[in-house]
Amino acid sequence: EHFYSSLGKGMIKDLRRRLPFYLSDWVDGFHPRVISATIFMFISSLAPAITFGVYLHTTTNNLLGLTEVLLSTAVTGLIFAVLGGQPLLIIGVTGPVSIFCVTLNQITTALNLDFFPFFAWTMFWSGLSHWLMVIFNALSMIHYLSRFSCEIFSVLTAFIYILTAIEDFIEFFREEELPAAL
């Protein structure tokens, strides 16, 4: 089989597999139990969105915040619900995404660059690389990865949050009088 004949084959297989269920995913969604679960999941997804929105607002010098997090979560959720055929999938900002945005802000500050053009181009190339991975069926190589890859990334994320908390704690004691800090 030629290499080019397999381009996008995984995505086409996924679409063919989901197509028979696409209409029922939407029609079944109007059952009372599904509606109550949807409302519950919507409210449940607001807490992390607010948390990460406030975190980004604080750590990016007000460049990104709650409005951007809620808007991006809503837009990407709607797009994925319509195109992905999975209306109840929750998409939102996560810890690693927040850390990535903060790191981009730190890079642009250090290099004296405008944040939003740098951020936009970074997201453009990230999206392009994701599409290329889909087209070239990169998921077929996932069996080469072990749980270690996932676990070490989780440790890195946890370490960054712990370090940030310690830095904020120390900074609080530097800025405040001792009785107010205690």
Side-chain angles (χ1 to χ4, degrees), residues 29-40:
F30 292 105
H31 188 276
R33 285 187 179 178
V34 175
I35 291 173
S36 64
T38 303
I39 292 170
F40 172 76

Side-chain angles (χ1 to χ4, degrees), residues 12-109:
I12 292 168
K13 285 166 103 175
D14 283 347
L15 290 173
R16 284 188 181 145
R17 193 171 38 245
R18 288 295 315 150
L19 193 60
F21 306 104
Y22 187 80
L23 181 63
S24 74
D25 284 343
W26 287 94
V27 173
D28 297 347
F30 292 105
H31 188 276
R33 285 187 179 178
V34 175
I35 291 173
S36 64
T38 303
I39 292 170
F40 172 76
M41 293 309 295
F42 172 77
I43 292 169
S44 299
S45 66
L46 276 180
I50 291 170
T51 301
F52 290 125
V54 170
Y55 173 74
L56 285 171
H57 179 76
T58 305
T59 54
T60 62
N61 300 321
N62 308 330
L63 292 172
L64 296 174
L66 185 57
T67 305
E68 291 80 9
V69 168
L70 291 176
L71 183 65
S72 67
T73 300
V75 170
T76 55
L78 287 171
I79 290 170
F80 194 85
V82 172
L83 298 179
Q86 298 179 19
L88 291 180
L89 187 67
I90 299 167
I91 296 179
V93 174
T94 61
V97 171
S98 298
I99 292 169
F100 181 71
C101 291
V102 170
T103 304
L104 283 181
N105 182 51
Q106 292 170 345
I107 290 170
T108 57
T109 302

Side-chain angles (χ1 to χ4, degrees), residues 167-178:
E167 288 173 349
D168 289 347
F169 187 72
I170 291 170
E171 192 63 30
F172 182 75
F173 276 98
R174 277 194 193 133
E175 292 176 359
E176 298 294 327
E177 297 287 327
L178 188 59

